[in-house]
């Protein structure tokens, strides 16, 4: 959803509240793309603080479907989005980039709420997602989910120094 910010410049101290429905169905992050399982509208209050500076305050909630770090089963991860930003509309996009205050969700006088929320989601993504604390993961040989059953793979850990002898035995079996 795009919000035109030019209507707030007329009066210093003017505030307006927006209830924005998120249009995105997938969240694109540096770690991968995640499906959005649930989303609530973002309530965003924008206040003109004078001298073409806007203050954004808002709240929302998004539930992402993220694969478990061990077994790759989808896990519903609720993320609360809290926005508290200041936008200096006097700065050009080049000046913002130079000051490392890149606000790619502002283009001209338009605020892209989906990009703003996406930025907050990126900052609040969990480092590791588990479907449960005692998740056993998957077999590294056949890919069986060990939470639901076992496999017949050889799970012995061999001494890597003995790999040369193991290769000799494999060659003898082939003959």
């Amino acid at each position: 959803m795009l919000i035109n910010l030019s209507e707030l410049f007329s009066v210093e101290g003017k505030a307006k509240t927006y209830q924005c429905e998120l249009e995105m169905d997938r969240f694109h992050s540096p770690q991968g793309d995640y499906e959005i399982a649930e989303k609530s509208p973002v309530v965003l209050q924008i206040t003109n603080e004078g001298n073409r500076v806007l203050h954004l305050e808002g709240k929302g909630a998004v539930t992402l479907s993220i694969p478990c770090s061990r077994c790759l089963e989808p896990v519903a991860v609720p993320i609360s989005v809290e926005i508290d930003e200041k936008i200096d509309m006097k700065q050009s996009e080049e000046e913002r980039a130079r000051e490392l205050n890149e606000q790619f969700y502002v283009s001209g006088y338009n605020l892209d709420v989906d990009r703003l929320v996406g930025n907050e989601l990126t900052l609040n993504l969990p480092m590791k997602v588990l479907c449960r604390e005692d998740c056993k993961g998957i077999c590294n040989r056949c890919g069986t989910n060990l939470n639901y059953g076992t496999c017949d793979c050889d799970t012995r850990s061999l001494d890597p120094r003995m790999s040369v002898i193991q290769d000799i035995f494999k060659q003898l079996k082939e003959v």
Side-chain angles (χ1 to χ4, degrees):
M1 176 177 180
L2 290 176
I3 297 175
N4 188 346
L5 299 173
S6 62
E7 65 181 304
L8 294 167
F9 293 135
S10 59
V11 179
E12 185 176 325
K14 182 177 182 178
K16 189 166 182 181
T17 303
Y18 299 90
Q19 185 163 346
C20 309
E21 294 288 334
L22 293 177
E23 296 172 353
M24 63 179 164
D25 294 324
R26 296 189 67 74
F27 170 60
H28 306 287
S29 77
Q31 291 83 14
D33 292 351
Y34 305 122
E35 183 180 330
I36 296 178
E38 291 180 40
K39 54 189 172 184
S40 68
V42 176
V43 178
L44 192 63
Q45 180 173 1
I46 304 175
T47 307
N48 181 352
E49 293 187 340
N51 203 16
R52 295 179 56 96
V53 175
L54 300 176
H55 184 225
L56 308 173
E57 288 183 291
K59 289 188 179 208
V62 175
T63 301
L64 297 176
S65 180
I66 301 176
C68 174
S69 297
R70 292 183 187 159
C71 69
L72 303 177
E73 290 289 321
V75 179
V77 179
I79 298 176
S80 176
V81 176
E82 294 191 21
I83 299 164
D84 189 11
E85 299 277 333
K86 286 192 187 242
I87 301 174
D88 188 353
M89 297 302 288
K90 294 183 306 267
Q91 291 182 326
S92 68
E93 291 182 27
E94 294 82 24
E95 289 173 329
R96 287 187 193 128
R98 209 174 319 119
E99 293 180 12
L100 299 177
N101 188 13
E102 297 180 30
Q103 297 169 334
F104 57 90
Y105 43 83
V106 177
S107 177
Y109 291 115
N110 291 320
L111 172 71
D112 189 343
V113 178
D114 283 357
R115 283 187 168 187
L116 175 65
V117 170
N119 188 40
E120 293 297 317
L121 288 175
T122 300
L123 295 173
N124 291 311
L125 277 177
M127 298 213 28
K128 187 174 190 179
V129 175
L130 295 177
C131 59
R132 57 184 193 217
E133 285 295 318
D134 63 339
C135 178
K136 297 176 184 174
I138 58 175
C139 174
N140 60 359
R141 295 181 193 253
C142 68
T144 301
N145 188 338
L146 299 175
N147 293 319
Y148 301 125
T150 58
C151 61
D152 296 330
C153 295
D154 185 13
T155 58
R156 294 180 295 166
S157 60
L158 299 174
D159 189 347
R161 297 173 291 183
M162 300 298 284
S163 64
V164 175
I165 296 174
Q166 186 179 7
D167 290 341
I168 294 171
F169 283 123
K170 285 182 183 176
Q171 289 175 358
L172 289 176
K173 288 181 183 177
E174 293 173 5
V175 176

